Amino acid sequence: MRDLLEKALKKGLSVTFSNENGYAVIRINKDGDVVASCSLGSANFRDSVEESLQSLLLDLERKGL
């Protein structure tokens, strides 16, 4: 997970984690604006976070961010 967070930081992105209505939420921000987000199900939190964060970062790369 550390390598994914470092990758985001090197791109000028910030990553926040929160808990909303019982669901873990990941948000990726750039210049104060949310550019990607997702909520996680009830699976293994660590595995879900890593997979979801990686997926969000790949999607942003495809979009050119």
Side-chain angles (χ1 to χ4, degrees):
M1 165 116 73
R2 172 179 258 157
D3 59 328
L4 294 173
L5 293 172
E6 287 175 356
K7 181 178 181 179
L9 292 174
K10 286 180 184 177
K11 293 179 177 272
L13 304 170
S14 63
V15 180
T16 58
F17 301 91
S18 63
N19 188 344
E20 299 175 17
N21 298 321
Y23 293 98
V25 176
I26 301 172
R27 286 193 178 81
I28 299 178
N29 304 288
K30 182 169 180 94
D31 301 326
D33 296 321
V34 175
V35 293
S37 67
C38 72
S39 60
L40 307 174
S42 60
N44 180 324
F45 180 77
R46 181 182 171 115
D47 292 339
S48 294
V49 167
E50 288 187 46
E51 290 172 13
S52 297
L53 183 55
Q54 184 171 14
S55 176
L56 289 172
L57 289 172
L58 287 172
D59 188 45
L60 289 173
E61 284 180 8
R62 287 185 199 116
K63 293 179 180 177
L65 285 177

